[in-house]
């Protein structure tokens, strides 16, 4: 799968950070990786079904997550403020995924309520035959990444989904 | 000004509260889903409602239909990540006054609120 398939989420992440978090963000090129990254401490996860089956995750080191959600929420939120912290990380993941969803061109995609995983260097395990696309992200608050783990793209026009042209043109 | 904020995310309610606070003094009530909003709107009688679309228990669209069916004309701004035309048209037909797509800048939401309030004052 072409890693550029993740372009709608890159665009959505950029929009979310520039408007709601008010942080400039830079991205490395999306890359296909063998497994989900294990260097992060906080992940907001959205399950995907329908047009795409898999999951979307946004993963941070703790300190970066604290800085970003505090800017997002407009008040200082640390990981110890568990309920507020989890709500903010989940909402950020939710906004990015919902914003990017229509740009995949894969028909109806149903998304789950966000889940948030906390734990130093945690591992999000997805089926071994999933394709995982990771996009390293850089902000003044720290580095983090967005990941798309895809089991299948269920669409009559699946080939169109895998063509990055439309999404890339939008950036 | 009395504003009812309806969103299942505490973070988003806090962001909306901050935007409203910068516009002027307001009496603010919060609800975490459509069901909660129906009971709070009835008691609180808001001048403006900021309404999320996707919420558990009762979503914003269902709230909107029920609220309008009871003859309530309070302006409602729907705030949602759903940017597709079908969703927007559906919400406008159901009686929403404005539609703000997430992610939005606080300035954008502020402008939309002011516009609604100005219309209300002029009416």
């Amino acid at each position: 799968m072409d890693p550029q398939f993740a372009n709608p989420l890159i665009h959505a992440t950029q929009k979310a950070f520039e408007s709601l978090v008010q942080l400039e963000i830079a991205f490395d090129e999306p890359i296909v990786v063998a497994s989900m990254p294990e260097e992060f401490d906080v992940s907001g996860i959205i399950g995907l079904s329908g047009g795409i089956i898999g999951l979307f995750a946004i993963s941070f080191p703790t300190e970066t997550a604290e800085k970003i959600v505090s800017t997002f929420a407009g008040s200082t939120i640390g990981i110890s403020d568990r309920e507020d912290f989890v709500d903010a990380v989940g909402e950020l993941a939710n906004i990015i995924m919902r914003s990017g969803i229509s740009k995949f061109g894969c028909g109806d995609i149903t998304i789950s309520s966000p889940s948030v995983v906390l734990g130093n260097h945690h591992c999000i395990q997805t089926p071994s035959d999933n394709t995982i696309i990771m996009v390293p992200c850089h902000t003044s608050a720290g580095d983090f990444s967005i990941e798309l783990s895809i089991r299948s793209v269920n669409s009559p026009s699946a080939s169109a989904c895998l063509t990055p042209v439309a999404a890339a043109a939008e950036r | 000004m009395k504003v009812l904020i309806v969103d299942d995310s505490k973070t988003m309610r806090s962001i909306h509260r901050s935007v409203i606070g910068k516009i002027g003094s307001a009496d603010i009530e919060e609800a975490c889903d459509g069901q909660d909003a129906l009971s709070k709107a009835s008691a609180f009688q808001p001048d403006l409602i900021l309404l999320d679309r996707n919420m558990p228990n009762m979503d914003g669209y269902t709230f909107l239909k029920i609220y309008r069916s009871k003859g309530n004309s309070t302006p409602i701004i729907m705030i949602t990540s759903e940017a597709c035309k079908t969703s927007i048209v559906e919400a406008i037909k159901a009686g929403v006054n404005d539609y703000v797509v997430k992610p939005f800048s606080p300035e954008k939401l502020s402008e939309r609120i002011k516009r609604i309030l100005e219309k209300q004052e002029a009416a």
Side-chain angles (χ1 to χ4, degrees), chain A residues 42-46 56-60 89-90 93 114-117 124:
Chain A
V42 177
S43 292
I45 301 170
I46 306 283
F56 163 72
I58 181 167
S59 301
F60 310 91
V89 172
S115 300
V116 176
V117 176
I124 300 168

Side-chain angles (χ1 to χ4, degrees), chain A residues 58-103:
Chain A
I58 181 167
S59 301
F60 310 91
T62 302
E63 193 181 333
T64 303
E66 288 178 328
K67 285 181 186 169
I68 287 172
V69 299
S70 295
T71 312
F72 174 43
S75 60
T76 304
I77 300 176
I79 197 165
S80 55
D81 308 308
R82 188 62 57 92
E83 190 186 335
D84 292 354
F85 184 80
V86 165
D87 181 86
V89 172
E91 185 62 16
L92 192 55
N94 189 45
I95 288 171
I96 291 168
M97 190 62 230
R98 283 192 183 278
S99 173
I101 207 168
S102 60
K103 309 295 193 306

Side-chain angles (χ1 to χ4, degrees), chain A residues 15-16 19-20 22 72-73 84 87-88 91 95 98-99, chain B residues 9-12 14-15 54 81 102-107:
Chain A
K15 268 173 67 181
S19 55
L20 272 172
Q22 298 183 320
F72 174 43
D84 292 354
D87 181 86
E91 185 62 16
I95 288 171
R98 283 192 183 278
S99 173
Chain B
S9 164
K10 190 177 171 187
T11 307
M12 292 311 300
S14 163
I15 290 170
N54 296 294
S81 306
K102 294 182 203 170
F104 56 83
S105 66
E107 292 76 21

Side-chain angles (χ1 to χ4, degrees), chain B residues 29-85:
Chain B
E29 178 64 277
E30 296 183 5
C32 61
D33 60 39
Q35 194 67 56
D36 189 22
L38 280 175
S39 62
K40 286 187 173 155
S42 173
F44 185 60
Q45 295 293 312
D47 302 308
L48 173 67
I49 299 174
L50 302 184
L51 179 66
D52 185 24
R53 181 165 184 135
N54 296 294
M55 293 179 288
N57 302 323
M58 182 190 287
D59 64 22
Y61 181 64
T62 306
F63 164 83
L64 177 64
K65 286 196 294 185
I66 295 172
Y67 188 68
R68 289 290 188 239
S69 74
K70 290 179 177 174
N72 294 299
S73 59
T74 299
I76 297 177
I77 301 176
M78 186 168 269
I79 301 168
T80 174
S81 306
E82 286 185 32
C84 70
K85 276 185 187 168

Side-chain angles (χ1 to χ4, degrees), chain A residues 88-165:
Chain A
V89 172
E91 185 62 16
L92 192 55
N94 189 45
I95 288 171
I96 291 168
M97 190 62 230
R98 283 192 183 278
S99 173
I101 207 168
S102 60
K103 309 295 193 306
F104 280 105
C106 301
D108 288 340
I109 302 169
T110 303
I111 75 171
S112 72
S113 294
S115 300
V116 176
V117 176
L118 306 176
N120 291 347
H121 303 278
H122 62 250
C123 171
I124 300 168
Q125 194 66 49
T126 60
S128 59
D129 55 349
N130 276 23
T131 300
I132 300 170
I133 303 171
M134 177 182 168
V135 187
C137 308
H138 310 283
T139 70
S140 59
D143 298 340
F144 64 95
S145 88
I146 55 173
E147 302 106 35
L148 194 56
S149 175
I150 303 168
R151 190 170 130 207
S152 62
V153 178
N154 289 343
S155 167
S157 56
S159 57
C161 293
L162 304 180
T163 304
V165 177

